[in-house]
Amino acid sequence: MRPSSDRQAPGGGPRDFAAAEWTKLRSLRSTWALLALGTVLTVLVSLLFCALIGPEFRRADSAQRRALDPVGLTFTGLQFGQVPLVILAVMAVGNEYGTGMIRTSLAAIPRRGALLTAKLAVLGATGAVWGLLTGAVALTAGSTVLGASVPLHTDAVRALAGAGAYTGLLAVLAAALTFMVRRSLTALGVLLPFLFVVSGALAATPQLRSLARLLPDRAGLRLTQVHQDAGDLSPAAGGGVLLLWAAVAATGSYVALRRQDC
Amino acid sequence: MIEVRDLVKSYGGRRVLDGLTFTAEPGRVTAFLGPNGAGKSTTLRMILGLGIPDAGHALVNGVRYAELRDPLRTVGALLDASACHPARSPRAHLTWLARTQRIPAARVDEVLGLVGLAPAARRPVRGFSLGMRQRLGIAVALLGDPGTVILDEPMNGLDPEGIQWLRGLLRALADEGRTVLVSSHLMREMAVVADQVLVIGRGRVLADGGLTEFLETDLPPVRLVTPRLDELSRALRAEGARVTHDSDPHRATVTGLTSARIGDIAAQNAWSVHELTPVRPSLEEAYMRLTAEAVEYRSATAASTKKEAASHASLK
């Protein structure tokens, strides 16, 4: 056991940091419990909506069917199923501060941008993969209940990819915000009302609808939809708006983390 | 090697570190002592790059911590024993840390064995005693086989067997040529294991030097046994000494004179002396005296405070 020099050691890089963050995440049972809960919620709520709309959809002609957005309908459950994912992303960061583990993390990865990147990348990837898998189940099961054809057309594939992008960016946004406020409860206190109350209230107020569509969840969920009403953002524009939210949050968290005394 | 130079840090207008300067050398156990709030933990956090100093710098092996290529292979630190997610097992905790610097997975099991946590390696940390958490923290510090080891209060919560084990570990680490910086409030334990003593108070160095020098800083009290105690006491007091009698009519403790001087005075008067022993103060006593003075300074005026603190910094 000779003291090793700092020069001869093989250097850890971004991939090692990401692998370490993934090890952190997967070694907690709560991670898997939250992801499973999110999947169950998403699929159940999607099925419920599809079952309710089913009779109307089956009576409708093809133009009316398009307006009902059979693909988008199957992803409705994400609005509920996203909550456990947001909680997961918030806790993954908030617990670092809550337990003081942030110091150990920064001792291992002193370049704060590198730690932040690894954390956000792993949570984003986790969110995206979860969104794809959950979305695939919801799309298939939902379409069956709805009585629509097996969704193998490009719109459905695009919307499914959109679901993955949405959940991935949402996880990044939630994690980045938590780096700024340093507390899980504060972050959830901002995010959950935003996702459930503010977003719904704004959308229900006609004068504010144009504002509501720029909220991260409203804009992002456009990625999972096919039909476009007048005044709706296009799926690409919606995704762009969410991307902007996530980018602003990530930048803010970088600035905050660089200045933090831990 | 750790070098701290003129480190200054304030939190909310309170100066926690006030121009702290010291060096912790390889091959030695440096005891980092000071009352609560003296700035010990802040200093350690600055060394690890966890806070940004207002002025000055802290270097490990000549570079700032943030510039170390694989920090865990250079510096191992225990700052807070509870800094682990309660639902995570020691094995998972060490595994993610190892992953950051490509430390082989076998090393995780090695350090778990080293600190005696192998049987509990897969249990959630939630149910651990403070002693077990300390062992995990020590395992974290040793994971990268670092040349510099920094431990903040590692003995808290350890049982006597654990403290003895840790003492041996610290000695072995230093003997292998590593730099070992350990903060503690357990003076008796530190006196056994430390080579260097670094005492800080109010963000400044109060004393910095070898353990033996530290204990010999002042004139040690001398235990005196003589059948002519009354006469000798009078003569010693005339020389400016303080003589404290105890229950035995022939025995007293003399402070303010060396044992040689006391012996000479007795010899000049042809008084026989049966015992004349300098009593080396314990580390605890020396520390208490030093920091008690630091506390007294607190109520002094600002100008004299600086002077006094400066004169104490030169004690080494």
mmCIF file of all heavy atoms in Angstrom, chain A residues 1-4 6 9-12 16-17 20 24 27-28 95 99 101 105 107-108 110 112 261-262, chain B residues 9 45 49-52 65 69-71 73-74 82-83 85 88 92 96 99-102 145 147 178:
data_model
loop_
_atom_site.group_PDB
_atom_site.id
_atom_site.type_symbol
_atom_site.label_atom_id
_atom_site.label_comp_id
_atom_site.label_asym_id
_atom_site.label_seq_id
_atom_site.Cartn_x
_atom_site.Cartn_y
_atom_site.Cartn_z
ATOM 1 N N MET A 1 0.842 -1.209 0.000
ATOM 2 C CA MET A 1 0.000 0.000 0.000
ATOM 3 C C MET A 1 0.870 1.250 0.000
ATOM 4 O O MET A 1 1.128 1.826 1.034
ATOM 5 C CB MET A 1 -0.902 -0.005 1.238
ATOM 6 C CG MET A 1 -2.205 -0.671 1.004
ATOM 7 S SD MET A 1 -3.671 -0.003 1.776
ATOM 8 C CE MET A 1 -3.179 0.776 3.299
ATOM 9 N N ARG A 2 1.327 1.618 -1.162
ATOM 10 C CA ARG A 2 2.079 2.863 -1.252
ATOM 11 C C ARG A 2 1.124 3.978 -1.624
ATOM 12 O O ARG A 2 0.234 3.781 -2.422
ATOM 13 C CB ARG A 2 3.162 2.742 -2.314
ATOM 14 C CG ARG A 2 4.569 2.642 -1.758
ATOM 15 C CD ARG A 2 5.577 2.944 -2.841
ATOM 16 N NE ARG A 2 5.254 4.187 -3.565
ATOM 17 C CZ ARG A 2 5.406 5.399 -3.068
ATOM 18 N NH1 ARG A 2 5.847 5.555 -1.847
ATOM 19 N NH2 ARG A 2 5.089 6.455 -3.789
ATOM 20 N N PRO A 3 1.322 5.155 -1.010
ATOM 21 C CA PRO A 3 0.467 6.275 -1.409
ATOM 22 C C PRO A 3 0.607 6.500 -2.905
ATOM 23 O O PRO A 3 1.723 6.583 -3.418
ATOM 24 C CB PRO A 3 1.045 7.455 -0.634
ATOM 25 C CG PRO A 3 1.872 6.865 0.436
ATOM 26 C CD PRO A 3 2.304 5.507 -0.004
ATOM 27 N N SER A 4 -0.523 6.557 -3.587
ATOM 28 C CA SER A 4 -0.451 6.722 -5.035
ATOM 29 C C SER A 4 -0.322 8.198 -5.368
ATOM 30 O O SER A 4 -0.838 9.059 -4.676
ATOM 31 C CB SER A 4 -1.693 6.142 -5.683
ATOM 32 O OG SER A 4 -2.834 6.751 -5.145
ATOM 33 N N ASP A 6 -0.886 11.586 -7.713
ATOM 34 C CA ASP A 6 -2.025 12.084 -8.484
ATOM 35 C C ASP A 6 -1.727 12.049 -9.975
ATOM 36 O O ASP A 6 -2.595 12.255 -10.792
ATOM 37 C CB ASP A 6 -2.381 13.510 -8.046
ATOM 38 C CG ASP A 6 -1.173 14.377 -7.873
ATOM 39 O OD1 ASP A 6 -0.118 13.866 -7.425
ATOM 40 O OD2 ASP A 6 -1.252 15.569 -8.172
ATOM 41 N N ALA A 9 -2.361 8.083 -11.769
ATOM 42 C CA ALA A 9 -3.692 7.481 -11.714
ATOM 43 C C ALA A 9 -4.413 7.649 -13.044
ATOM 44 O O ALA A 9 -4.316 8.690 -13.682
ATOM 45 C CB ALA A 9 -4.499 8.136 -10.603
ATOM 46 N N PRO A 10 -5.150 6.631 -13.464
ATOM 47 C CA PRO A 10 -5.955 6.786 -14.670
ATOM 48 C C PRO A 10 -7.148 7.686 -14.378
ATOM 49 O O PRO A 10 -7.811 7.524 -13.368
ATOM 50 C CB PRO A 10 -6.401 5.362 -14.993
ATOM 51 C CG PRO A 10 -6.347 4.631 -13.702
ATOM 52 C CD PRO A 10 -5.331 5.329 -12.835
ATOM 53 N N GLY A 11 -7.402 8.638 -15.242
ATOM 54 C CA GLY A 11 -8.392 9.656 -14.942
ATOM 55 C C GLY A 11 -9.830 9.214 -15.168
ATOM 56 O O GLY A 11 -10.133 8.519 -16.127
ATOM 57 N N GLY A 12 -10.701 9.594 -14.262
ATOM 58 C CA GLY A 12 -12.126 9.365 -14.458
ATOM 59 C C GLY A 12 -12.666 10.465 -15.361
ATOM 60 O O GLY A 12 -12.261 11.609 -15.253
ATOM 61 N N ASP A 16 -17.449 7.915 -16.636
ATOM 62 C CA ASP A 16 -17.330 7.343 -15.290
ATOM 63 C C ASP A 16 -18.255 8.072 -14.317
ATOM 64 O O ASP A 16 -18.875 7.457 -13.457
ATOM 65 C CB ASP A 16 -15.883 7.450 -14.817
ATOM 66 C CG ASP A 16 -14.937 6.707 -15.728
ATOM 67 O OD1 ASP A 16 -15.084 5.488 -15.847
ATOM 68 O OD2 ASP A 16 -14.071 7.355 -16.342
ATOM 69 N N PHE A 17 -18.329 9.394 -14.472
ATOM 70 C CA PHE A 17 -19.193 10.172 -13.590
ATOM 71 C C PHE A 17 -20.657 9.778 -13.803
ATOM 72 O O PHE A 17 -21.420 9.638 -12.851
ATOM 73 C CB PHE A 17 -19.018 11.675 -13.837
ATOM 74 C CG PHE A 17 -17.602 12.156 -13.665
ATOM 75 C CD1 PHE A 17 -17.172 13.332 -14.258
ATOM 76 C CD2 PHE A 17 -16.691 11.422 -12.909
ATOM 77 C CE1 PHE A 17 -15.863 13.776 -14.098
ATOM 78 C CE2 PHE A 17 -15.379 11.859 -12.746
ATOM 79 C CZ PHE A 17 -14.972 13.037 -13.352
ATOM 80 N N ALA A 20 -21.290 6.502 -12.249
ATOM 81 C CA ALA A 20 -21.396 6.641 -10.792
ATOM 82 C C ALA A 20 -22.790 7.151 -10.417
ATOM 83 O O ALA A 20 -23.419 6.653 -9.474
ATOM 84 C CB ALA A 20 -20.328 7.601 -10.272
ATOM 85 N N LYS A 24 -25.677 5.367 -8.129
ATOM 86 C CA LYS A 24 -26.417 5.998 -7.028
ATOM 87 C C LYS A 24 -27.913 5.761 -7.190
ATOM 88 O O LYS A 24 -28.603 5.365 -6.261
ATOM 89 C CB LYS A 24 -26.206 7.515 -7.065
ATOM 90 C CG LYS A 24 -25.020 8.036 -6.315
ATOM 91 C CD LYS A 24 -25.099 9.565 -6.347
ATOM 92 C CE LYS A 24 -23.739 10.184 -6.151
ATOM 93 N NZ LYS A 24 -23.759 11.630 -6.387
ATOM 94 N N SER A 27 -29.232 2.053 -6.963
ATOM 95 C CA SER A 27 -29.047 1.355 -5.685
ATOM 96 C C SER A 27 -30.120 1.726 -4.670
ATOM 97 O O SER A 27 -30.072 1.277 -3.530
ATOM 98 C CB SER A 27 -27.648 1.638 -5.126
ATOM 99 O OG SER A 27 -27.478 3.019 -4.891
ATOM 100 N N LEU A 28 -31.088 2.539 -5.058
ATOM 101 C CA LEU A 28 -32.177 2.872 -4.145
ATOM 102 C C LEU A 28 -33.459 2.197 -4.624
ATOM 103 O O LEU A 28 -33.854 2.335 -5.779
ATOM 104 C CB LEU A 28 -32.391 4.388 -4.092
ATOM 105 C CG LEU A 28 -31.262 5.194 -3.457
ATOM 106 C CD1 LEU A 28 -31.601 6.674 -3.481
ATOM 107 C CD2 LEU A 28 -31.008 4.743 -2.020
ATOM 108 N N ASN A 95 -31.776 14.942 -2.009
ATOM 109 C CA ASN A 95 -31.164 14.077 -1.003
ATOM 110 C C ASN A 95 -29.666 14.321 -0.871
ATOM 111 O O ASN A 95 -29.089 14.099 0.187
ATOM 112 C CB ASN A 95 -31.404 12.597 -1.348
ATOM 113 C CG ASN A 95 -32.783 12.152 -0.888
ATOM 114 O OD1 ASN A 95 -33.341 12.707 0.048
ATOM 115 N ND2 ASN A 95 -33.327 11.162 -1.560
ATOM 116 N N THR A 99 -28.752 14.977 2.955
ATOM 117 C CA THR A 99 -27.886 14.090 3.733
ATOM 118 C C THR A 99 -26.463 14.612 3.849
ATOM 119 O O THR A 99 -25.672 14.068 4.610
ATOM 120 C CB THR A 99 -27.796 12.701 3.073
ATOM 121 O OG1 THR A 99 -27.219 12.853 1.780
ATOM 122 C CG2 THR A 99 -29.150 12.049 2.941
ATOM 123 N N MET A 101 -24.488 14.491 1.382
ATOM 124 C CA MET A 101 -23.710 13.678 0.451
ATOM 125 C C MET A 101 -23.138 14.529 -0.684
ATOM 126 O O MET A 101 -22.190 14.119 -1.354
ATOM 127 C CB MET A 101 -24.588 12.584 -0.128
ATOM 128 C CG MET A 101 -23.830 11.352 -0.541
ATOM 129 S SD MET A 101 -24.967 10.040 -0.958
ATOM 130 C CE MET A 101 -25.497 10.557 -2.572
ATOM 131 N N SER A 105 -19.898 13.886 -3.036
ATOM 132 C CA SER A 105 -19.978 13.908 -4.493
ATOM 133 C C SER A 105 -18.993 14.919 -5.077
ATOM 134 O O SER A 105 -18.301 14.637 -6.050
ATOM 135 C CB SER A 105 -21.399 14.267 -4.939
ATOM 136 O OG SER A 105 -22.302 13.287 -4.490
ATOM 137 N N ALA A 107 -16.348 16.064 -3.573
ATOM 138 C CA ALA A 107 -14.973 15.648 -3.293
ATOM 139 C C ALA A 107 -14.509 14.668 -4.373
ATOM 140 O O ALA A 107 -13.354 14.672 -4.775
ATOM 141 C CB ALA A 107 -14.880 15.011 -1.909
ATOM 142 N N ALA A 108 -15.434 13.849 -4.849
ATOM 143 C CA ALA A 108 -15.090 12.873 -5.890
ATOM 144 C C ALA A 108 -15.021 13.540 -7.261
ATOM 145 O O ALA A 108 -14.199 13.179 -8.101
ATOM 146 C CB ALA A 108 -16.105 11.741 -5.903
ATOM 147 N N PRO A 110 -14.735 17.242 -8.301
ATOM 148 C CA PRO A 110 -14.658 18.642 -7.856
ATOM 149 C C PRO A 110 -15.106 19.649 -8.914
ATOM 150 O O PRO A 110 -15.528 20.741 -8.559
ATOM 151 C CB PRO A 110 -13.177 18.851 -7.526
ATOM 152 C CG PRO A 110 -12.495 17.544 -7.685
ATOM 153 C CD PRO A 110 -13.412 16.611 -8.405
ATOM 154 N N ARG A 112 -17.576 21.264 -10.783
ATOM 155 C CA ARG A 112 -19.012 21.250 -10.507
ATOM 156 C C ARG A 112 -19.841 21.057 -11.759
ATOM 157 O O ARG A 112 -20.871 20.399 -11.735
ATOM 158 C CB ARG A 112 -19.393 22.528 -9.760
ATOM 159 C CG ARG A 112 -18.629 22.574 -8.448
ATOM 160 C CD ARG A 112 -19.039 23.668 -7.541
ATOM 161 N NE ARG A 112 -18.350 23.459 -6.266
ATOM 162 C CZ ARG A 112 -18.706 24.018 -5.138
ATOM 163 N NH1 ARG A 112 -19.730 24.826 -5.105
ATOM 164 N NH2 ARG A 112 -18.046 23.764 -4.035
ATOM 165 N N ASP A 261 -21.451 27.305 -1.456
ATOM 166 C CA ASP A 261 -20.562 26.796 -0.419
ATOM 167 C C ASP A 261 -21.198 25.540 0.121
ATOM 168 O O ASP A 261 -22.303 25.589 0.643
ATOM 169 C CB ASP A 261 -20.438 27.822 0.714
ATOM 170 C CG ASP A 261 -19.207 28.693 0.526
ATOM 171 O OD1 ASP A 261 -18.210 28.189 -0.007
ATOM 172 O OD2 ASP A 261 -19.261 29.865 0.924
ATOM 173 N N CYS A 262 -20.534 24.418 -0.048
ATOM 174 C CA CYS A 262 -21.175 23.172 0.371
ATOM 175 C C CYS A 262 -20.557 22.636 1.667
ATOM 176 O O CYS A 262 -19.497 23.019 2.043
ATOM 177 C CB CYS A 262 -21.069 22.134 -0.717
ATOM 178 S SG CYS A 262 -22.010 22.594 -2.166
ATOM 179 N N LYS B 9 -12.119 33.465 5.435
ATOM 180 C CA LYS B 9 -13.479 33.155 5.000
ATOM 181 C C LYS B 9 -14.473 33.756 5.980
ATOM 182 O O LYS B 9 -14.346 33.581 7.191
ATOM 183 C CB LYS B 9 -13.661 31.632 4.933
ATOM 184 C CG LYS B 9 -15.042 31.198 4.508
ATOM 185 C CD LYS B 9 -15.284 31.471 3.030
ATOM 186 C CE LYS B 9 -16.690 31.055 2.620
ATOM 187 N NZ LYS B 9 -16.925 31.351 1.200
ATOM 188 N N ARG B 45 -13.149 22.028 4.792
ATOM 189 C CA ARG B 45 -13.980 22.177 3.595
ATOM 190 C C ARG B 45 -13.280 23.014 2.540
ATOM 191 O O ARG B 45 -13.404 22.763 1.350
ATOM 192 C CB ARG B 45 -15.341 22.738 3.975
ATOM 193 C CG ARG B 45 -16.182 21.666 4.680
ATOM 194 C CD ARG B 45 -17.572 22.153 5.123
ATOM 195 N NE ARG B 45 -18.097 23.133 4.233
ATOM 196 C CZ ARG B 45 -18.274 24.404 4.550
ATOM 197 N NH1 ARG B 45 -17.988 24.825 5.760
ATOM 198 N NH2 ARG B 45 -18.779 25.228 3.682
ATOM 199 N N GLY B 49 -12.032 22.108 -1.414
ATOM 200 C CA GLY B 49 -12.645 22.895 -2.477
ATOM 201 C C GLY B 49 -14.155 22.986 -2.381
ATOM 202 O O GLY B 49 -14.829 23.274 -3.374
ATOM 203 N N LEU B 50 -14.710 22.747 -1.188
ATOM 204 C CA LEU B 50 -16.170 22.763 -1.055
ATOM 205 C C LEU B 50 -16.699 24.168 -0.795
ATOM 206 O O LEU B 50 -17.885 24.416 -0.911
ATOM 207 C CB LEU B 50 -16.604 21.834 0.080
ATOM 208 C CG LEU B 50 -16.291 20.354 -0.178
ATOM 209 C CD1 LEU B 50 -16.555 19.530 1.065
ATOM 210 C CD2 LEU B 50 -17.116 19.839 -1.341
ATOM 211 N N GLY B 51 -15.803 25.067 -0.437
ATOM 212 C CA GLY B 51 -16.192 26.455 -0.258
ATOM 213 C C GLY B 51 -15.126 27.312 -0.907
ATOM 214 O O GLY B 51 -13.999 26.861 -1.098
ATOM 215 N N ILE B 52 -15.489 28.513 -1.264
ATOM 216 C CA ILE B 52 -14.529 29.383 -1.941
ATOM 217 C C ILE B 52 -14.006 30.383 -0.914
ATOM 218 O O ILE B 52 -14.774 31.176 -0.378
ATOM 219 C CB ILE B 52 -15.197 30.105 -3.132
ATOM 220 C CG1 ILE B 52 -15.767 29.054 -4.088
ATOM 221 C CG2 ILE B 52 -14.204 30.977 -3.875
ATOM 222 C CD1 ILE B 52 -17.247 29.165 -4.326
ATOM 223 N N TYR B 65 -7.349 21.641 -4.820
ATOM 224 C CA TYR B 65 -8.073 20.371 -4.865
ATOM 225 C C TYR B 65 -8.817 20.186 -6.186
ATOM 226 O O TYR B 65 -8.801 19.103 -6.778
ATOM 227 C CB TYR B 65 -9.067 20.307 -3.699
ATOM 228 C CG TYR B 65 -9.737 18.962 -3.555
ATOM 229 C CD1 TYR B 65 -9.160 17.962 -2.790
ATOM 230 C CD2 TYR B 65 -10.938 18.682 -4.201
ATOM 231 C CE1 TYR B 65 -9.751 16.716 -2.659
ATOM 232 C CE2 TYR B 65 -11.540 17.444 -4.086
ATOM 233 C CZ TYR B 65 -10.949 16.468 -3.314
ATOM 234 O OH TYR B 65 -11.540 15.242 -3.206
ATOM 235 N N ARG B 69 -6.409 15.445 -10.601
ATOM 236 C CA ARG B 69 -6.959 14.634 -11.680
ATOM 237 C C ARG B 69 -7.942 13.599 -11.121
ATOM 238 O O ARG B 69 -9.083 13.515 -11.546
ATOM 239 C CB ARG B 69 -5.795 13.946 -12.401
ATOM 240 C CG ARG B 69 -6.211 13.058 -13.519
ATOM 241 C CD ARG B 69 -5.605 13.536 -14.838
ATOM 242 N NE ARG B 69 -5.944 12.653 -15.928
ATOM 243 C CZ ARG B 69 -7.099 12.701 -16.572
ATOM 244 N NH1 ARG B 69 -8.015 13.576 -16.222
ATOM 245 N NH2 ARG B 69 -7.335 11.881 -17.564
ATOM 246 N N ASP B 70 -7.495 12.788 -10.202
ATOM 247 C CA ASP B 70 -8.377 11.824 -9.548
ATOM 248 C C ASP B 70 -8.336 12.085 -8.048
ATOM 249 O O ASP B 70 -7.566 11.463 -7.331
ATOM 250 C CB ASP B 70 -7.910 10.406 -9.849
ATOM 251 C CG ASP B 70 -8.393 9.929 -11.191
ATOM 252 O OD1 ASP B 70 -9.618 9.916 -11.399
ATOM 253 O OD2 ASP B 70 -7.542 9.600 -12.036
ATOM 254 N N PRO B 71 -9.158 13.033 -7.591
ATOM 255 C CA PRO B 71 -8.994 13.517 -6.216
ATOM 256 C C PRO B 71 -9.026 12.415 -5.159
ATOM 257 O O PRO B 71 -8.263 12.466 -4.215
ATOM 258 C CB PRO B 71 -10.147 14.505 -6.045
ATOM 259 C CG PRO B 71 -11.026 14.322 -7.234
ATOM 260 C CD PRO B 71 -10.220 13.723 -8.315
ATOM 261 N N ARG B 73 -7.948 9.523 -5.246
ATOM 262 C CA ARG B 73 -6.693 8.763 -5.188
ATOM 263 C C ARG B 73 -5.586 9.593 -4.560
ATOM 264 O O ARG B 73 -4.485 9.103 -4.320
ATOM 265 C CB ARG B 73 -6.267 8.329 -6.593
ATOM 266 C CG ARG B 73 -7.178 7.276 -7.208
ATOM 267 C CD ARG B 73 -6.757 7.041 -8.642
ATOM 268 N NE ARG B 73 -7.619 6.121 -9.353
ATOM 269 C CZ ARG B 73 -7.371 4.801 -9.445
ATOM 270 N NH1 ARG B 73 -6.323 4.289 -8.843
ATOM 271 N NH2 ARG B 73 -8.191 4.030 -10.119
ATOM 272 N N THR B 74 -5.856 10.873 -4.335
ATOM 273 C CA THR B 74 -4.849 11.753 -3.751
ATOM 274 C C THR B 74 -5.219 12.142 -2.325
ATOM 275 O O THR B 74 -4.380 12.151 -1.433
ATOM 276 C CB THR B 74 -4.718 13.034 -4.605
ATOM 277 O OG1 THR B 74 -4.517 12.648 -5.968
ATOM 278 C CG2 THR B 74 -3.540 13.868 -4.150
ATOM 279 N N SER B 82 -22.606 11.048 8.671
ATOM 280 C CA SER B 82 -23.977 10.737 8.277
ATOM 281 C C SER B 82 -24.243 11.084 6.814
ATOM 282 O O SER B 82 -25.379 11.014 6.358
ATOM 283 C CB SER B 82 -24.961 11.480 9.178
ATOM 284 O OG SER B 82 -24.794 12.864 9.007
ATOM 285 N N ALA B 83 -23.180 11.445 6.082
ATOM 286 C CA ALA B 83 -23.365 11.880 4.693
ATOM 287 C C ALA B 83 -23.512 10.699 3.744
ATOM 288 O O ALA B 83 -22.720 10.492 2.845
ATOM 289 C CB ALA B 83 -22.209 12.767 4.255
ATOM 290 N N HIS B 85 -26.896 8.332 1.910
ATOM 291 C CA HIS B 85 -28.343 8.153 1.851
ATOM 292 C C HIS B 85 -28.759 6.998 2.763
ATOM 293 O O HIS B 85 -28.179 5.922 2.673
ATOM 294 C CB HIS B 85 -28.775 7.877 0.415
ATOM 295 C CG HIS B 85 -30.253 7.982 0.221
ATOM 296 N ND1 HIS B 85 -31.133 7.050 0.735
ATOM 297 C CD2 HIS B 85 -31.015 8.916 -0.391
ATOM 298 C CE1 HIS B 85 -32.367 7.418 0.418
ATOM 299 N NE2 HIS B 85 -32.318 8.541 -0.261
ATOM 300 N N ARG B 88 -29.270 3.519 1.333
ATOM 301 C CA ARG B 88 -28.209 2.910 0.538
ATOM 302 C C ARG B 88 -27.318 2.055 1.434
ATOM 303 O O ARG B 88 -27.117 2.371 2.597
ATOM 304 C CB ARG B 88 -27.409 4.011 -0.153
ATOM 305 C CG ARG B 88 -26.717 3.551 -1.404
ATOM 306 C CD ARG B 88 -26.123 4.722 -2.175
ATOM 307 N NE ARG B 88 -27.048 5.298 -3.134
ATOM 308 C CZ ARG B 88 -27.290 6.588 -3.255
ATOM 309 N NH1 ARG B 88 -26.712 7.444 -2.473
ATOM 310 N NH2 ARG B 88 -28.149 7.023 -4.154
ATOM 311 N N ALA B 92 -23.015 -0.142 -1.827
ATOM 312 C CA ALA B 92 -23.487 0.698 -2.935
ATOM 313 C C ALA B 92 -22.852 2.087 -2.857
ATOM 314 O O ALA B 92 -22.474 2.676 -3.872
ATOM 315 C CB ALA B 92 -25.008 0.799 -2.903
ATOM 316 N N TRP B 96 -20.427 3.535 -5.959
ATOM 317 C CA TRP B 96 -20.579 4.706 -6.841
ATOM 318 C C TRP B 96 -19.362 5.617 -6.736
ATOM 319 O O TRP B 96 -18.920 6.197 -7.729
ATOM 320 C CB TRP B 96 -21.898 5.454 -6.627
ATOM 321 C CG TRP B 96 -22.017 6.375 -5.443
ATOM 322 C CD1 TRP B 96 -22.718 6.141 -4.299
ATOM 323 C CD2 TRP B 96 -21.469 7.699 -5.294
ATOM 324 N NE1 TRP B 96 -22.609 7.214 -3.449
ATOM 325 C CE2 TRP B 96 -21.859 8.182 -4.030
ATOM 326 C CE3 TRP B 96 -20.685 8.515 -6.107
ATOM 327 C CZ2 TRP B 96 -21.485 9.431 -3.551
ATOM 328 C CZ3 TRP B 96 -20.314 9.767 -5.628
ATOM 329 C CH2 TRP B 96 -20.712 10.208 -4.368
ATOM 330 N N ARG B 99 -16.568 4.202 -8.728
ATOM 331 C CA ARG B 99 -16.866 4.339 -10.148
ATOM 332 C C ARG B 99 -16.378 5.675 -10.716
ATOM 333 O O ARG B 99 -16.018 5.767 -11.886
ATOM 334 C CB ARG B 99 -18.381 4.197 -10.320
ATOM 335 C CG ARG B 99 -18.843 3.731 -11.647
ATOM 336 C CD ARG B 99 -18.402 2.312 -11.930
ATOM 337 N NE ARG B 99 -18.563 2.031 -13.352
ATOM 338 C CZ ARG B 99 -17.773 2.515 -14.308
ATOM 339 N NH1 ARG B 99 -16.778 3.316 -14.015
ATOM 340 N NH2 ARG B 99 -17.993 2.216 -15.584
ATOM 341 N N THR B 100 -16.371 6.732 -9.872
ATOM 342 C CA THR B 100 -16.010 8.065 -10.380
ATOM 343 C C THR B 100 -14.544 8.138 -10.802
ATOM 344 O O THR B 100 -14.184 8.976 -11.627
ATOM 345 C CB THR B 100 -16.247 9.167 -9.327
ATOM 346 O OG1 THR B 100 -15.478 8.856 -8.160
ATOM 347 C CG2 THR B 100 -17.714 9.269 -8.950
ATOM 348 N N GLN B 101 -13.682 7.314 -10.209
ATOM 349 C CA GLN B 101 -12.253 7.399 -10.565
ATOM 350 C C GLN B 101 -11.704 6.057 -11.018
ATOM 351 O O GLN B 101 -10.525 5.804 -10.888
ATOM 352 C CB GLN B 101 -11.382 7.893 -9.410
ATOM 353 C CG GLN B 101 -12.123 8.429 -8.222
ATOM 354 C CD GLN B 101 -12.033 9.928 -8.132
ATOM 355 O OE1 GLN B 101 -11.006 10.459 -7.754
ATOM 356 N NE2 GLN B 101 -13.106 10.606 -8.494
ATOM 357 N N ARG B 102 -12.561 5.196 -11.495
ATOM 358 C CA ARG B 102 -12.131 3.891 -11.989
ATOM 359 C C ARG B 102 -11.325 3.120 -10.943
ATOM 360 O O ARG B 102 -10.284 2.552 -11.248
ATOM 361 C CB ARG B 102 -11.288 4.048 -13.248
ATOM 362 C CG ARG B 102 -12.073 4.732 -14.348
ATOM 363 C CD ARG B 102 -11.398 4.531 -15.671
ATOM 364 N NE ARG B 102 -11.940 5.463 -16.644
ATOM 365 C CZ ARG B 102 -11.322 5.768 -17.776
ATOM 366 N NH1 ARG B 102 -10.152 5.227 -18.052
ATOM 367 N NH2 ARG B 102 -11.878 6.594 -18.617
ATOM 368 N N ASP B 145 -6.938 4.776 -1.746
ATOM 369 C CA ASP B 145 -5.570 4.556 -1.275
ATOM 370 C C ASP B 145 -4.776 5.863 -1.358
ATOM 371 O O ASP B 145 -3.684 5.921 -1.947
ATOM 372 C CB ASP B 145 -4.904 3.470 -2.141
ATOM 373 C CG ASP B 145 -3.641 2.943 -1.474
ATOM 374 O OD1 ASP B 145 -3.445 3.207 -0.273
ATOM 375 O OD2 ASP B 145 -2.847 2.291 -2.164
ATOM 376 N N GLY B 147 -2.678 9.447 -0.628
ATOM 377 C CA GLY B 147 -1.478 9.842 0.096
ATOM 378 C C GLY B 147 -1.767 10.851 1.192
ATOM 379 O O GLY B 147 -0.925 11.104 2.050
ATOM 380 N N ARG B 178 2.130 8.755 4.573
ATOM 381 C CA ARG B 178 0.990 9.588 4.184
ATOM 382 C C ARG B 178 0.863 10.798 5.103
ATOM 383 O O ARG B 178 1.337 10.778 6.234
ATOM 384 C CB ARG B 178 -0.302 8.774 4.273
ATOM 385 C CG ARG B 178 -0.331 7.600 3.324
ATOM 386 C CD ARG B 178 -1.560 6.761 3.594
ATOM 387 N NE ARG B 178 -1.292 5.365 3.338
ATOM 388 C CZ ARG B 178 -1.667 4.719 2.237
ATOM 389 N NH1 ARG B 178 -2.353 5.332 1.308
ATOM 390 N NH2 ARG B 178 -1.367 3.461 2.081
#
